[in-house]
Amino acid sequence: MSSPIMKLVAQRIALGILLLLAVSVLIFAGTQILPGDVAQAILGQSATPESLANLREQLGLNDPAFIRYFRWLGGVVTGDLGTAMSSGQDIAASIKGRLWNTLFLAFWAAVVAVPLAIVLGLIAVRYRNGWVDKLISGLALASTSFPEFFIGYVLVYFFAVKYQIFPGISTVYDGMPFGERVQAIMLPAAALTLVVLAHMMRMTRAAILNVMQSAYVETAELKGLSAFAVIRRHAFPNAIAPIINVVMLNLAYLIVGVVVVEVIFVYPGMGQYLVDHVTKRDVPVVQAVGLIFAAVYISLNIIADIAAIVANPRLRHPK
Amino acid sequence: MSNELEFLSRRVASGKLSRRDFLGRAAALGVTATFANSLLSSATRAAGPVKGGTLKAGLVGGESTNSLDPALFMTQVPFAFGKMWGELIVELSPEGTLENRIAEEIGSSDDAKVWTLKIRDGVEFHNGKTVTAEDVAATLERHSDEKSKSGALGYMKGIESIKASGKEVVLTLKEANADLPYLLSDYHLIVQPNGGKDKADAGIGAGPYKVTTNEPGVRHGGERFANYWQGDKMGHADQIEIIVINDATARTSALQGGQVNMINRVEPKIVDLIKRLPGVTIRNHAGPGHYVFIMHCNTAPFDNNDLRMALKLAIDREEMLDKVLRGYGSLGNDFPINASYPLFTEIEQRKYDPDKAKFHYKKSGHDGAVLLRTSDVAFPGAVDASQLFQQSAAKAGIQIELKREPGDGYWNEVWNKQPFCASYWGGRSTQDQMYSTAYLSSADWNDTRFKRPDFDKMVLAARAELDETKRKAMYHDMAVLVRDEGGLILPMFNQFIDATGAKVAGWVDDPHQELMNGYALAKCWLEA
């Protein structure tokens, strides 16, 4: 069994790398289309023709685009993302801490949200169309329908201002004790959980319900298995692929889409970092962050594909 | 009864009795909590600063692109943090006079062209080195270098030579300037070892706090510098921390939840709500900052003074002050100077006058709409203010077309580029500085394109004049010229509105900038 799977996995990874390369070309091309060049942006209003020429020379902007692209790509591959032009700091070093913060927050939000969503989905299927199902779906849909900032502010109002249980601003820093760190991210993690919960829950419910209509489920029911046993042993394993897909999509969102939550809770993650540099037209940083976000999306999708293949033998043997 | 209360309040002030116990006993003596609190705070003030603790500020105006190089300071957070670790040559006191800091004495030649700074003994940098005249000279050299990116370069360019000898630094100016000491109080001019020429962003200064944390856009922290030369006056808390909170709601809730002790930039529209919060004090005070609409005097149709005058008369200043600033400000009069400047003179207030505006508009010969560009980032409430302007002008028969621009890129693409837009100015410490930055023909930031050789001459003459009465008269004439012929519509001066939480003591209003001119963390302390 191992060799066809290994082959498929290798194929997917190779495809992912190709895709990432394509994305890097798009990102690079996109930043080239922007009006003005990096030198112009660095010097701003005080640019004189001579200083522009000097800086262009110094930054190697006179070389053809494809040479600059490969130079950039070479740097990225060796872990050198260049330096931010607005502050002169090494991009890789500044991103490292930020990325870690973002992953930390996403991890805890996922640890709560994913099992909760799946369990709630299973419960909803078990009591489908009853009041429990309607209550779960209703609450989950309500929490998704509110904009993130609203959920964030409501949480801050009750838990930080009124009862002062958790801090309302989540500034974390290097060397912060683990316990304090977890306490600091409590509210943003809760906000994110509420935002992504419904999507995963509804998808779980729909996928399992879909399977429930199959003949073998009917057989299982006729055998006299309890409703939960049918779901657990026969329906859930066959519904796992779409569930994994939606979980991965939401995980990706937790990493690349949390700008608003980061702003509300003053959380030093990637989103805030990107926004600051976009306003300053700091192209090298925007390129680097764009590439990292693309890599996150692509790798999570690969993982979802592979998991789906492992879960479903039919996908292993394409006709 | 009052004897006992006073005794108790002194015990609280000296830390021998807790605040809570005091309030309990005061209540037992039949005193209201408000009265007991005020008694307490006056006792604490009389007892002097309390040392210790960590003071935290939650401030807007920090980005992950900030640097510790003082030359590059632009926004509020680097400004406030710079005052914590850095020391200036001179500073403006809250009363508006000059306060010597690293300079012990400043003297000038009779023609205000040669200035001598005597450097104070025994001021130490955080790295243990003593501040010398060479360090001061190197600092000034770095900021006056043509290639420097310093925010102070504009007026530092006027220095011809800088020489350090012994304990003195001698500055020779290209043209006389009686205001030089005021210019030296610019917040960029932090004295650094060797002027920061070796490593500008090292964060080594001679200020009350040593830099311990510097995470741009996230937080900055400092611990008290034991050898600070004025340890009795500043640096009361053991630690200070600035947390960057750009979101106004998050800032307010952080103060309310007790995570920070002070915040800046409270929005006028929520001041009344914040005032109701227990323990929170609003600290608002007038300053030189102003909200404006600027017209390019050299671009049609604004190159016509009648049209400019028509627009100036078509704005209802009182309504705007009332609705946009909720009264937290004062009326503007179309010149950028108010009573917070030392040599200010009153000029008759221009009022909303639709009839006169109509008259000038007709006389200008212009027909059709005038395009005004505005954005939320121009100043808080700028879009509302522009709409009010549109309505008041419509009553005078002038049609203003509004174009709402995106905040991103507003300062690069619209301000100082488009002929008519909303904007703001933070003000400067002297009239000369304000006029030199934005109204001199050669000024980089002449955002009204006000290019008048006669005005330039007046600025230079006033700069060299040492007789205060004559100078005042000159500034009066300049103000009248800008007011009646310039491209500036200045409906209102805004106030700085900060807020502090419970326990913060030692606040002194300072008209120059927000947060006690940036010194709030160093000059305030936490009550026991």
Side-chain angles (χ1 to χ4, degrees):
Chain A
M1 149 181 171
S2 88
S3 76
I5 287 201
M6 291 313 279
K7 203 177 145 204
L8 271 169
V9 169
Q11 266 176 4
R12 294 284 157 169
I13 291 176
L15 205 63
I17 291 173
L18 268 181
L19 197 57
L20 199 55
L21 271 178
V23 170
S24 75
V25 172
L26 279 181
I27 292 177
F28 187 82
T31 53
Q32 297 303 305
I33 300 170
L34 290 175
D37 63 359
V38 180
Q40 180 82 49
I42 293 177
L43 293 172
Q45 284 175 318
S46 60
T48 62
E50 303 93 77
S51 60
L52 267 179
N54 289 341
L55 194 62
R56 279 210 184 99
E57 183 66 33
Q58 196 188 324
L59 297 173
L61 292 179
N62 293 329
D63 299 330
F66 73 92
I67 291 188
R68 279 182 287 128
Y69 168 72
F70 282 113
R71 203 185 292 135
W72 175 61
L73 195 67
V76 171
V77 171
T78 54
D80 174 17
L81 295 172
T83 49
M85 58 190 216
S86 49
S87 57
Q89 285 165 333
D90 184 57
I91 298 177
S94 344
I95 283 188
K96 219 171 77 193
R98 297 275 186 159
L99 186 60
W100 163 242
N101 285 346
T102 293
L103 292 177
F104 186 77
L105 177 59
F107 174 76
W108 286 107
V111 161
V112 179
V114 173
L116 191 63
I118 292 176
V119 168
L120 285 177
L122 292 176
I123 295 176
V125 171
R126 166 68 183 82
Y127 300 104
R128 57 184 172 275
N129 300 330
W131 65 271
V132 176
D133 180 20
K134 284 183 179 139
L135 183 74
I136 292 174
S137 293
L139 287 181
L141 280 178
S143 80
T144 306
S145 312
F146 288 121
E148 289 156 56
F149 72 86
F150 179 78
I151 295 180
Y153 286 145
V154 168
L155 289 175
V156 168
Y157 178 73
F158 284 105
F159 293 100
V161 174
K162 201 148 185 215
Y163 300 111
Q164 308 200 355
I165 304 168
F166 299 116
I169 49 174
S170 313
T171 329
V172 295
Y173 49 89
D174 282 345
M176 193 174 189
F178 180 75
E180 271 181 44
R181 199 181 255 266
V182 169
Q183 206 188 358
I185 65 155
M186 213 57 107
L187 292 184
L192 287 175
T193 302
L194 288 174
V195 170
V196 298
L197 191 62
H199 190 199
M200 291 190 284
M201 192 284 279
R202 300 278 298 175
M203 200 64 194
T204 308
R205 182 179 177 277
I208 297 177
L209 276 182
N210 199 22
V211 176
M212 296 292 272
Q213 275 147 33
S214 327
Y216 64 86
V217 171
E218 204 174 329
T219 313
E221 275 169 358
L222 291 174
K223 264 198 313 193
L225 289 180
S226 74
F228 260 125
V230 172
I231 294 173
R232 187 172 53 83
R233 289 188 46 196
H234 298 280
F236 184 65
N238 286 298
I240 219 157
I243 296 177
I244 288 176
N245 264 324
V246 73
V247 166
M248 288 305 162
L249 264 184
N250 280 290
L251 288 188
Y253 172 80
L254 286 179
I255 295 170
V256 309
V258 297
V259 177
V260 174
V261 171
E262 284 183 5
V263 169
I264 293 171
F265 292 98
V266 200
Y267 189 76
M270 291 287 279
Q272 187 67 67
Y273 184 72
L274 178 63
V275 168
D276 278 358
H277 287 83
V278 167
T279 4
K280 290 266 155 106
R281 301 262 186 276
D282 199 330
V283 176
V285 176
V286 176
Q287 281 178 335
V289 177
L291 201 60
I292 289 175
F293 280 179
V296 166
Y297 249 102
I298 291 172
S299 26
L300 284 175
N301 271 309
I302 293 176
I303 294 174
D305 281 356
I306 294 173
I309 293 169
V310 172
N312 187 345
R314 269 182 301 176
L315 294 177
R316 256 176 264 155
H317 307 287
K319 283 174 195 140
Chain B
M1 176 193 88
S2 76
N3 278 345
E4 189 172 353
L5 266 180
E6 264 183 51
F7 166 74
L8 289 174
S9 63
R10 278 199 304 278
R11 280 181 69 86
V12 178
S14 55
K16 285 175 186 137
L17 182 71
S18 88
R19 189 185 174 85
R20 191 172 287 272
D21 286 346
F22 170 80
L23 291 178
R25 293 205 202 173
L29 288 166
V31 172
T32 64
T34 325
F35 177 67
N37 259 322
S38 73
L39 194 69
L40 197 56
S41 64
S42 62
T44 333
R45 208 174 300 129
V50 181
K51 294 272 173 188
T54 303
L55 261 179
K56 293 184 181 179
L59 308 182
V60 58
E63 292 151 335
S64 38
T65 49
N66 290 149
S67 154
L68 275 182
D69 177 359
L72 305 177
F73 287 0
M74 260 173 86
T75 47
Q76 296 93 326
V77 168
F79 161 78
F81 191 50
K83 298 239 170 166
M84 293 303 100
W85 62 264
E87 185 64 271
L88 300 171
I89 301 167
V90 282
E91 182 56 284
L92 297 166
S93 72
E95 293 80 35
T97 53
L98 275 172
E99 191 182 319
N100 291 328
R101 304 202 61 91
I102 283 185
E104 199 173 15
E105 226 181 272
I106 297 188
S108 84
S109 60
D110 289 342
D111 61 355
K113 256 187 147 168
V114 181
W115 289 81
T116 309
L117 319 175
K118 191 165 169 245
I119 304 307
R120 194 180 294 276
D121 273 331
V123 180
E124 198 181 306
F125 284 121
H126 299 158
N127 61 6
K129 189 182 164 303
T130 309
V131 178
T132 62
E134 283 76 22
D135 294 318
V136 175
T139 301
L140 293 174
E141 274 166 21
R142 189 166 83 88
H143 288 272
S144 58
D145 180 4
E146 280 289 344
K147 284 185 201 132
S148 146
K149 285 189 202 155
S150 173
L153 180 64
Y155 29 93
M156 295 304 288
K157 275 193 279 197
I159 300 180
E160 190 169 76
S161 76
I162 300 163
K163 281 197 192 83
S165 62
K167 282 183 176 307
E168 287 182 348
V169 177
V170 180
L171 306 177
T172 312
L173 308 185
K174 288 175 191 153
E175 269 146 21
N177 191 344
D179 277 343
L180 183 88
Y182 287 97
L183 301 185
L184 294 180
S185 71
D186 186 294
Y187 65 94
H188 296 96
L189 302 178
I190 288 173
V191 178
Q192 292 172 282
N194 194 24
K197 285 180 177 173
D198 314 319
K199 195 170 182 322
D201 57 358
I204 305 283
Y209 287 93
K210 280 198 277 194
V211 176
T212 52
T213 315
N214 180 49
E215 295 174 36
V218 183
R219 56 181 208 127
H220 304 270
E223 65 174 18
R224 188 196 291 132
F225 176 43
N227 295 343
Y228 183 58
W229 67 282
Q230 258 193 334
D232 52 331
K233 286 195 178 161
M234 268 199 245
H236 303 308
D238 293 338
Q239 313 264 345
I240 52 125
E241 190 174 327
I242 296 175
I243 302 172
V244 179
I245 312 182
N246 290 325
D247 183 66
T249 315
R251 210 156 58 242
T252 319
S253 64
L255 180 72
Q256 213 179 336
Q259 284 182 289
V260 297
N261 304 105
M262 55 183 78
I263 58 173
N264 63 347
R265 294 279 159 105
V266 177
E267 295 176 345
K269 61 184 173 199
I270 60 164
V271 168
D272 289 337
L273 293 174
I274 294 193
K275 272 187 177 164
R276 281 193 242 147
L277 303 177
V280 171
T281 314
I282 289 287
R283 313 281 186 173
N284 62 305
H285 58 90
H290 44 278
Y291 295 167
V292 295
F293 297 98
I294 45 186
M295 307 175 276
H296 284 182
C297 298
N298 62 357
T299 312
F302 307 102
D303 52 355
N304 180 320
N305 197 36
D306 277 304
L307 181 75
R308 296 202 292 269
M309 187 55 87
L311 287 167
K312 287 175 188 172
L313 288 163
I315 193 165
D316 190 342
R317 297 174 168 72
E318 303 207 2
E319 185 191 24
M320 213 174 267
L321 177 64
D322 197 42
K323 290 190 175 154
V324 175
L325 290 184
R326 314 267 160 154
Y328 291 99
S330 57
L331 284 182
N333 201 7
D334 297 339
F335 65 101
I337 306 298
N338 66 357
S340 65
Y341 288 86
L343 301 173
F344 169 76
T345 37
E346 204 76 56
I347 299 176
E348 188 207 347
Q349 176 66 46
R350 178 166 287 147
K351 290 207 169 72
Y352 176 49
D353 190 337
D355 295 329
K356 252 184 164 172
K358 213 177 264 175
F359 165 77
H360 282 284
Y361 186 62
K362 274 229 173 80
K363 206 175 147 203
S364 78
H366 180 75
D367 199 22
V370 177
L371 180 65
L372 169 64
R373 286 162 214 266
T374 184
S375 169
D376 279 326
V377 299
F379 56 83
V383 175
D384 301 337
S386 306
Q387 280 162 353
L388 287 175
F389 190 10
Q390 188 183 32
Q391 286 165 17
S392 64
K395 283 181 204 152
I398 303 172
Q399 197 193 339
I400 292 180
E401 189 188 323
L402 288 184
K403 184 163 182 218
R404 196 169 169 173
E405 300 275 359
D408 180 24
Y410 189 78
W411 302 108
N412 295 323
E413 311 290 333
V414 179
W415 173 74
N416 216 357
K417 295 239 162 53
Q418 298 294 343
F420 190 26
C421 71
S423 178
Y424 86 96
W425 275 97
R428 292 292 185 268
S429 51
T430 64
Q431 305 197 33
D432 174 61
Q433 218 178 335
M434 188 66 230
Y435 285 130
S436 309
T437 316
Y439 298 88
L440 218 51
S441 299
S442 58
D444 292 334
W445 289 351
N446 188 336
D447 56 9
T448 55
R449 304 287 186 273
F450 182 66
K451 300 192 173 179
R452 293 278 297 257
D454 52 342
F455 182 82
D456 297 351
K457 261 186 218 150
M458 291 161 91
V459 173
L460 297 184
R463 202 182 270 176
E465 181 59 63
L466 290 172
D467 181 334
E468 204 163 284
T469 330
K470 279 190 200 159
R471 248 185 128 190
K472 249 183 159 166
M474 291 162 132
Y475 281 128
H476 175 269
D477 296 345
M478 282 153 66
V480 170
L481 195 58
V482 170
R483 176 178 180 271
D484 293 341
E485 289 169 40
L488 180 77
I489 304 176
L490 197 166
M492 53 203 174
F493 287 88
N494 60 303
Q495 289 186 349
F496 300 114
I497 312 178
D498 305 316
T500 56
K503 288 190 176 181
V504 175
W507 188 282
V508 180
D509 281 345
D510 189 313
H512 301 104
Q513 269 300 331
E514 59 180 32
L515 293 170
M516 299 170 64
N517 198 13
Y519 288 108
L521 284 171
K523 289 186 178 171
C524 287
W525 62 88
L526 283 168
E527 280 175 9

